[in-house]
Amino acid sequence: MAIANKNIIFVAGLGGIGLDTSREIVKSGPKNLVILDRIENPTAIAELKALNPKVTVTFYPYDVTVPVAETTKLLKTIFAKLKIVDLLINGAGILDDHQIERTIAVNFTGTVNTTTAIMEFWDKRKGGPGGVIANICSVTGFNAIYQVPVYSASKAAALSFTNSLARLAPITGVTAYSINPGITRTPLVHKFNSWLDVEPRVGELLLEHPTQTTLECAQNFVKAIEANQNGAIWQLDLGRLISVEWTKHWDS
């Protein structure tokens, strides 16, 4: 999907990987980039607007842990203004296995709820035009960091959910693919808590492995958006974009 002249909603588009990806998206010339994030960052929004004045960049405060009905209300406001939304990026994520319930709520439930809410506007069974969803998951979804099993499991759940969305595309008209970054140098990985403190140095140990920059990840993210491959499992690792094969399909 060419990004030019498209309308895009980016949940958590101001985070580490998110902000660099927002920059790369804006450079590609969408018509509208709507950023939904829990924390306001007027400086970042101003930078994005200045980066490409032809692109309308809008911000709405949003916490992915709110009920579906609240998300639907926000999306109704956005759809009323834009009329058409081409792409939803679900990018919210936290890495802290001390916060078990919040990790699951942000990394998995939030993705499910935001997706469920946008179906009200996209589902072809309701007369909707369909749409595209890109869910930011993680390589831990298929290769767990065992010291943070809650985080890894939440990302595996998001990955499985995304794979199911892709298989449901003939019914809903909504296609989906997952973005799975490898170890990326963001504030998220510098210091975080392992489950039951099984490894207090987990962040430090993780950074001993080869990493990539947020810019490298963002550039490959844009390539994945442009590829627009339903059901793709994209691994964004060490500056490369790799298509991961999913071997099991349970057909009815």
Side-chain angles (χ1 to χ4, degrees):
M1 180 182 79
I3 291 173
N5 297 315
K6 295 296 192 299
N7 292 334
I8 299 170
I9 296 175
F10 194 164
V11 179
L14 299 178
I17 293 172
L19 182 53
D20 261 336
T21 303
S22 290
R23 291 184 180 113
E24 294 302 305
I25 288 172
V26 167
K27 288 177 189 175
S28 299
K31 186 176 182 182
N32 285 277
L33 175 61
V34 180
I35 295 178
L36 311 183
D37 214 312
R38 190 173 60 88
I39 299 172
E40 295 190 39
N41 187 340
T43 302
I45 296 297
E47 179 202 337
L48 292 171
K49 288 180 177 180
L51 198 59
N52 189 346
K54 293 180 180 179
V55 180
T56 302
V57 179
T58 315
F59 172 83
Y60 293 90
Y62 178 56
D63 186 330
V64 297
T65 64
V66 300
V68 173
E70 195 169 326
T71 302
T72 304
K73 186 177 178 181
L74 173 58
L75 290 176
K76 189 174 182 179
T77 300
I78 295 168
F79 272 83
K81 290 184 177 181
L82 302 186
K83 308 305 179 189
I84 294 171
V85 174
D86 301 286
L87 171 66
L88 167 67
I89 302 171
N90 284 313
I94 63 168
L95 176 47
D96 184 351
D97 265 28
H98 283 184
Q99 299 187 64
I100 294 172
E101 291 181 356
R102 183 158 181 81
T103 294
I104 296 167
V106 172
N107 295 357
F108 179 55
T109 310
T111 294
V112 174
N113 286 358
T114 307
T115 299
T116 302
I118 206 166
M119 286 295 179
E120 183 71 26
F121 308 89
W122 271 355
D123 194 330
K124 71 179 186 180
R125 295 172 299 170
K126 297 184 177 184
V132 181
I133 295 175
N135 287 333
I136 301 182
C137 301
S138 167
V139 295
T140 61
F142 43 85
N143 187 15
I145 301 173
Y146 62 88
Q147 300 97 330
V148 283
V150 180
Y151 173 83
S152 298
S154 70
K155 290 298 187 178
L159 175 60
S160 179
F161 176 68
T162 309
N163 292 340
S164 294
L165 289 175
R167 302 296 297 280
L168 290 170
I171 297 171
T172 64
V174 177
T175 60
Y177 51 86
S178 63
I179 301 294
N180 300 277
I183 304 170
T184 308
R185 293 194 293 277
T186 72
L188 200 68
V189 300
H190 282 291
K191 181 173 173 55
F192 57 92
N193 297 308
S194 63
W195 179 68
L196 300 180
D197 292 320
V198 291
E199 177 47 81
R201 295 177 58 244
V202 62
E204 183 182 333
L205 292 172
L206 199 63
L207 288 172
E208 290 178 0
H209 293 274
T211 61
Q212 65 183 351
T213 65
T214 52
L215 177 57
E216 287 174 317
C217 188
Q219 289 170 338
N220 282 318
F221 197 149
V222 166
K223 289 178 184 176
I225 291 172
E226 290 171 343
N228 195 28
Q229 184 179 328
N230 184 44
I233 302 170
W234 294 112
Q235 181 176 340
L236 283 60
D237 205 6
L238 303 179
R240 297 171 298 171
L241 179 65
I242 304 162
S243 179
V244 176
E245 291 299 319
W246 193 256
T247 55
K248 287 187 178 180
H249 291 300
W250 298 95
D251 293 304
S252 56

